[in-house]
Amino acid sequence: MLKSAIYLLSVALIIIIIIGERNFETIKITEETAVLPETEEIQVKAAEKTESEQLTFSEKLAAGDGVTIVFLGDYVTSADSLPDGNPNHVTLLTNWFDEKYPDQVEVVNAGMNANTVFHMKDRVASDVLVHDPDLVVISAGLNDALGGWKIPAKEYAENYELIVEEIMASGDSEVLIRTPNPTLSVNENIKMLPYVAASRRLAAEEGRHFFDFYSIMADEVHDKKIPQKELMQNVMHPNTKGQAYLFDKFKVYLTMELLEQ
């Protein structure tokens, strides 16, 4: 009887791991949902390119070249985004890159509390381009839509476009636009929708990548797959568990979409 119980318990634990059930009482990241893309074919393609042709971020990574990623954003991105001192999604991604691509990836966190697109636009040269990045991950919108500035969606889109254009005009830098997280307030989320839509339009232009975290999280909250209140430190900002959730979804996007390109 005891052996049967142990066997059934083992089977149950295996099933839980397979379906990726999360234990939100601790910071628990899901099992790898995708292997890193095959690099051999990409390495061959990279070797065949002439000196005048630019390697993409993914090709550089697959070829073993060093790359630099700069994260430009607001409080959710900033290194001090968790009052408890735990690592946020940028730090978790840095550790993940260190594990998967040892000594290849330099990550720069240029997130800053209370930033809007106007603040970020003023910091592009000093906080982003100075690092000669291969990839720039930008996230803006929470403060623009809901902060004290209340920047109209049209002005938000226009200034966001200027940021992206300045980065892409600087050389080989690619841009990845990440939408912000939904809030705990339905009314606030309705206010955010035009800003999310503007980000989506910006990312539709050629040569730009798009990680729609807002839609991913909103859909899982709506489907009751995740308890949003347990992932937030306040109405607007993710807590330690929420940052781990953001990292987890970003990791899946990287392995399934960006790096496979």
Side-chain angles (χ1 to χ4, degrees):
M1 178 66 75
L2 180 59
K3 290 184 178 180
S4 298
I6 293 174
Y7 173 76
L8 292 173
L9 179 59
S10 300
V11 171
L13 288 173
I14 292 172
I15 292 174
I16 288 174
I17 292 173
I18 291 175
I19 64 176
E21 182 173 318
R22 295 173 174 81
N23 176 11
F24 284 102
E25 295 304 316
T26 59
I27 306 173
K28 185 173 180 61
I29 307 304
T30 57
E31 296 296 320
E32 290 287 349
T33 55
V35 297
L36 291 175
E38 289 292 336
T39 60
E40 184 176 351
E41 182 180 352
I42 301 177
Q43 288 173 343
V44 171
K45 290 180 179 178
E48 291 176 347
K49 285 197 172 185
T50 65
E51 291 184 1
S52 62
E53 294 179 301
Q54 292 182 190
L55 295 181
T56 66
F57 170 80
S58 298
E59 288 171 337
K60 291 176 183 176
L61 204 58
D65 297 339
V67 295
T68 298
I69 306 174
V70 175
F71 285 81
L72 178 64
D74 50 30
Y75 178 71
V76 176
T77 298
S78 66
D80 60 352
S81 57
L82 291 173
D84 57 14
N86 279 312
N88 72 353
H89 73 282
V90 178
T91 301
L92 292 171
L93 283 165
T94 302
N95 296 337
W96 181 77
F97 274 115
D98 286 343
E99 178 186 348
K100 299 301 179 183
Y101 301 93
D103 303 319
Q104 256 192 271
V105 183
E106 179 184 358
V107 175
V108 177
N109 190 336
M112 190 172 291
N113 187 19
N115 263 211
T116 66
V117 288
F118 282 99
H119 299 104
M120 295 180 202
K121 185 178 65 173
D122 291 339
R123 298 196 295 116
V124 169
S126 61
D127 294 358
V128 178
L129 300 184
V130 69
H131 300 288
D132 192 22
D134 299 280
L135 178 68
V136 181
V137 180
I138 314 174
S139 181
L142 276 176
N143 293 318
D144 305 81
L146 308 177
W149 297 271
K150 299 294 188 299
I151 298 171
K154 183 179 179 181
E155 291 184 26
Y156 166 82
E158 291 172 349
N159 284 274
Y160 208 154
E161 176 66 33
L162 292 175
I163 292 172
V164 174
E165 288 179 350
E166 183 176 358
I167 293 171
M168 296 186 69
S170 66
D172 299 343
S173 300
E174 297 176 38
V175 170
L176 193 166
I177 294 174
R178 174 180 74 78
T179 52
N181 57 271
T183 74
L184 291 176
S185 166
V186 174
N187 290 333
E188 301 285 28
N189 288 339
I190 291 174
K191 295 177 184 177
M192 283 183 62
L193 290 179
Y195 299 80
V196 174
S199 298
R200 189 176 292 114
R201 289 192 297 271
L202 286 174
E205 298 293 328
E206 185 177 354
R208 304 173 186 184
H209 310 289
F210 186 55
F211 173 48
D212 193 359
F213 180 61
Y214 181 94
S215 296
I216 291 171
M217 186 173 182
D219 288 345
E220 294 201 344
V221 169
H222 179 74
D223 293 340
K224 297 183 179 180
K225 293 181 180 179
I226 58 171
Q228 189 182 10
K229 286 186 179 179
E230 294 185 19
L231 305 183
M232 305 293 286
Q233 58 178 290
N234 51 43
V235 173
M236 289 176 60
H237 304 121
N239 60 14
T240 297
K241 298 173 187 177
Q243 288 278 358
Y245 173 77
L246 171 52
F247 155 70
D248 196 29
K249 294 303 178 181
F250 212 148
K251 178 189 66 175
V252 172
Y253 166 79
L254 288 169
T255 55
M256 297 293 290
E257 296 187 48
L258 179 61
L259 298 185
E260 285 197 344
Q261 293 177 7

